[in-house]
């Protein structure tokens, strides 16, 4: 269990350092675009380092550390909840940034800058995590250093099925995100953390269940076993298609591309009961007749 204790201390250190970086960025940078980019960078940095350490525990822990998958999934839920509560509005996920662009909530320039910040943050997190592993602070890290140069692809099924799995994970994640985006963080954060944990448990054996292109690029693109275009298809095109399907199902349209609602008909919010309308019309007829009778009975000059 010493290796697990070292990893838990690593998680706490990463979260603490990222919170300090985020606090300094809020003090030194303007709250507009620069603050948003700093938030995406720090969020991707924290997410990538935590994910790499978790995947190491998931791969080596059951036979090298003496603990089961339940421990790793519990840590995944807690870290996802901490990540969602720490960085308000920064999901460190390119498909979420593209979703905001399609919903007319972000401009093209800001979206591109967010994608770059997420890529740089994930790359920096990958480099520092590899450096941390090289210190071999536990037996798990020693084993990880031995197998790291010959890492294999996370795709353990056929290419079409892997693309479908990543697209389905992205579809469910974005559907929950769209449904909960206006909810209070007290409900939204655990709901998203539970969704991520469930998807990782069910789809992890097939593709690793990344449904985050930046995270997948930093984690598995350098591993052998699949070509670069296979990775692009599974970990970029799959999640992007899942996000578009979730947005179309939830909204009925994609505001950036077209305004017409293809799935749902818009109905008026306020409905007037038919009985009241007929009663009003019938009540108006006698009044009109009385007025007409009075006007006819008036003496003409």
């Amino acid at each position: 269990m010493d290796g697990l204790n070292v990893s838990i201390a690593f998680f706490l250190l990463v979260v603490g350092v990222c919170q300090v970086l985020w606090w300094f960025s809020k003090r030194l940078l303007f709250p507009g675009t620069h603050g948003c980019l700093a938030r995406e960078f720090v969020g991707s940095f924290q997410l990538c380092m935590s994910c790499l350490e978790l995947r190491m525990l998931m791969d080596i822990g059951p036979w090298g550390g003496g603990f089961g998958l339940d421990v790793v999934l519990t840590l995944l839920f807690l870290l996802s909840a901490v990540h969602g509560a720490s960085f308000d509005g920064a999901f460190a996920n390119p498909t979420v940034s593209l979703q905001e662009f399609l919903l007319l909530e972000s401009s093209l320039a800001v979206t591109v800058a967010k994608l770059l910040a997420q890529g740089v943050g994930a790359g920096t997190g990958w480099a520092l995590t590899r450096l941390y592993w090289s210190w071999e602070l536990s037996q798990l890290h020693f084993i990880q250093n031995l197998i790291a140069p010959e890492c294999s692809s996370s795709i353990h099924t056929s290419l079409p099925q892997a693309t479908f799995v990543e697209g389905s994970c992205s579809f469910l994640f974005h559907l929950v995100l769209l449904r909960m985006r206006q909810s209070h963080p007290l409900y939204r954060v655990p709901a998203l953390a539970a969704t991520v944990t469930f998807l990782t448990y069910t789809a992890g054996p097939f593709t690793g269940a990344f449904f985050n292109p930046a995270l997948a690029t930093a984690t598995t693109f350098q591993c052998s076993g699949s070509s670069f275009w296979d990775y692009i298809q599974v970990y970029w095109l799959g999640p992007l298609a899942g996000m578009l399907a979730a947005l179309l199902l939830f909204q009925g349209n994609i505001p950036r591309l077209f305004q017409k609602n293809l799935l749902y008909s818009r109905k008026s919010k306020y409905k007037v009961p038919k009985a009241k309308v007929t009663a009003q019309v019938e009540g108006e007829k006698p009044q009109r007749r009385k007025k007409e009778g009075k006007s006819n009975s008036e003496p003409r000059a």
Side-chain angles (χ1 to χ4, degrees):
M1 297 294 288
D2 292 338
L4 182 60
N5 293 332
V6 171
S7 295
I8 292 175
F10 171 76
F11 292 138
L12 295 175
L13 179 64
V14 169
V15 171
V17 169
C18 289
Q19 287 303 303
V20 172
L21 290 175
W22 173 229
W23 184 84
F24 274 111
S25 65
K26 286 194 296 184
R27 293 293 184 273
L28 299 176
L29 298 176
F30 294 105
T33 305
H34 294 85
C36 178
L37 297 181
R39 185 172 56 193
E40 292 291 343
F41 171 81
V42 178
S44 297
F45 177 78
Q46 174 178 304
L47 184 64
C48 183
M49 296 189 76
S50 302
C51 178
L52 286 170
E53 187 73 5
L54 273 174
R55 296 197 70 79
M56 185 271 298
L57 294 177
M58 188 177 295
D59 294 337
I60 304 175
W63 57 272
F67 50 88
L69 186 62
D70 54 340
V71 175
V72 180
L73 292 176
T74 302
L75 290 173
L76 174 61
F77 175 81
L78 294 175
L79 289 172
S80 300
V82 169
H83 178 79
S86 302
F87 302 98
D88 184 26
F91 289 91
N93 191 333
T95 57
V96 177
S97 300
L98 292 173
Q99 175 184 282
E100 294 173 350
F101 171 73
L102 294 175
L103 286 172
L104 304 177
E105 296 176 354
S106 179
S107 64
L108 178 60
V110 173
T111 302
V112 172
K114 282 184 178 181
L115 296 180
L116 292 175
Q118 291 164 0
V120 173
T124 306
W126 173 83
L128 289 181
T129 305
R130 295 294 296 269
L131 176 63
Y132 157 71
W133 285 343
S134 68
W135 297 342
E136 298 181 358
L137 298 179
S138 69
Q139 185 180 3
L140 298 179
H141 295 154
F142 173 74
I143 299 173
Q144 175 64 30
N145 278 335
L146 292 178
I147 65 177
E150 299 180 359
C151 67
S152 58
S153 171
S154 298
I155 302 175
H156 301 298
T157 183
S158 64
L159 200 62
Q161 289 179 348
T163 306
F164 176 76
V165 168
E166 284 293 313
S168 300
C169 290
S170 178
F171 172 78
L172 293 174
F173 173 76
H174 282 276
L175 208 58
V176 175
L177 176 61
L178 288 167
R179 179 65 182 84
M180 303 292 295
R181 64 200 306 247
Q182 301 297 334
S183 303
H184 193 275
L186 186 62
Y187 307 107
R188 183 179 68 248
V189 170
L192 291 174
T195 302
V196 171
T197 305
F198 170 75
L199 293 176
T200 302
Y201 173 73
T202 54
F206 302 101
T207 61
F210 291 101
F211 52 92
N212 184 329
L215 190 60
T217 302
T219 304
T220 193
F221 269 42
Q222 75 278 2
C223 295
S224 60
S226 300
S227 67
F228 175 77
W229 296 111
D230 291 344
Y231 287 132
I232 289 292
Q233 177 179 334
V234 173
Y235 295 116
W236 278 87
L237 298 183
L240 182 60
M243 180 271 291
L244 291 174
L247 183 59
L248 186 61
L249 179 64
F250 187 81
Q251 290 277 126
N253 68 335
I254 300 178
R256 178 70 66 175
L257 302 180
F258 51 87
Q259 296 293 331
K260 184 179 179 181
N261 198 309
L262 302 178
L263 300 180
Y264 312 110
S265 59
R266 295 182 177 179
K267 296 182 179 181
S268 177
K269 225 185 243 186
Y270 307 101
K271 294 182 179 180
V272 180
K274 293 182 179 180
K276 290 185 178 182
V277 174
T278 53
Q280 289 178 359
V281 172
E282 291 176 357
E284 288 177 355
K285 287 181 180 179
Q287 293 180 0
R288 289 179 181 175
R289 289 176 182 173
K290 288 180 181 180
K291 289 181 180 179
E292 290 177 357
K294 287 181 181 180
S295 61
N296 292 334
S297 61
E298 290 179 355
R300 295 181 180 178

